[in-house]
Amino acid sequence: MQALARRYEMSEKKAVILLSGGLDSATVLALAQAEGYACYSMSFDYGQRHRAELRAAERVARQLGVVEHKVIGLNLDGIGGSALTDSSIAVPEAPGEGIPVTYVPARNTVFLALALGWAEVLEAHEIFIGVNAVDYSGYPDCRPAFIEAFERLANLATRAGVEGRGFHIQAPLQNLGKAEIIQVGLRHGVDYGLTVSCYQADEEGRACGKCDSCRLRAAGFAAAGVADPTRYI
């Protein structure tokens, strides 16, 4: 990756990609590469239930050949308030009403803010995120209105934005269903067997098959007519 970094360090077409290790973010990375961006991926060790998704992010970054993959440590478990950061809160295994307890307070706001900082340092003007407003869990920070608002903030709150070298927050999966996302990713060479989507995967990355994320993922592969490469417990 160091050789790639030297090759692209003078490139004007750079992008920072939020890479969770899941299906959606892997697809977004592949799309950004297909558009000719030199891709810098960023993941977060934020106190989530398992580290399997971080290992998945590293696998995806290697498979797709990013320039640099950065993992940032945070302490969102110190805030709690989510089944993903507080082990005393059970992950729901059946559909429910309203915003689920797997919502992590302000997570995408924090992640995008850090991606914005790295993008400014890299002189990258594009930030890609895999949020989706179709087949998703109803999180408020996945909606188009949030993405639009954050882009306005990014261009108000940075030196690059004030000097006219602003940022664009790209959410290319925003209006796609899970089956469509899978089909797009396969066309762009994504190996979904490397990814982990489960909210409570074990240390080997095997999925529970019961949580909201597992249900959406399985339904997506079924609707796409594609064999599901997910490993289950």
Side-chain angles (χ1 to χ4, degrees), residues 1 19-23 25-27 29 41-44 48 50-64 66 69 71 190-198 201-206 217 231:
M1 287 188 185
L19 183 63
S20 70
L23 183 154
S25 66
T27 307
L29 172 56
S41 56
M42 176 176 273
S43 302
F44 299 92
Q48 58 267 58
H50 60 75
R51 299 181 60 83
E53 67 179 14
L54 290 172
R55 291 190 287 272
E58 291 170 358
R59 291 193 298 267
V60 170
R62 284 196 302 271
Q63 189 243 337
L64 293 177
V66 302
H69 177 64
V71 179
V190 177
D191 179 355
Y192 288 118
L194 300 177
T195 66
V196 172
S197 300
C198 180
D202 68 9
E203 282 302 303
E204 297 179 27
R206 295 178 300 180
R217 179 178 170 119
R231 295 180 302 127

Side-chain angles (χ1 to χ4, degrees), residues 162-202:
V162 168
E163 293 178 349
R165 297 174 288 106
F167 302 92
H168 181 209
I169 311 299
Q170 296 207 37
L173 310 184
Q174 191 83 76
N175 299 309
L176 299 182
K178 196 66 74 179
E180 294 174 287
I181 292 169
I182 291 167
Q183 290 165 341
V184 167
L186 291 174
R187 288 198 297 271
H188 288 85
V190 177
D191 179 355
Y192 288 118
L194 300 177
T195 66
V196 172
S197 300
C198 180
Y199 290 148
Q200 48 189 356
D202 68 9

Side-chain angles (χ1 to χ4, degrees), residues 109 112 131-133 136 139-153 169 171 174-175:
T109 304
L112 279 171
V131 293
N132 177 265
Y136 78 126
Y139 299 155
D141 54 0
C142 288
R143 297 172 300 157
F146 167 73
I147 298 300
E148 293 164 7
F150 193 92
E151 183 174 292
R152 291 196 300 273
L153 179 150
I169 311 299
Q174 191 83 76
N175 299 309

Side-chain angles (χ1 to χ4, degrees), residues 75 120 153 157 185 193 205 233:
N75 188 27
E120 189 163 27
L153 179 150
I233 296 171

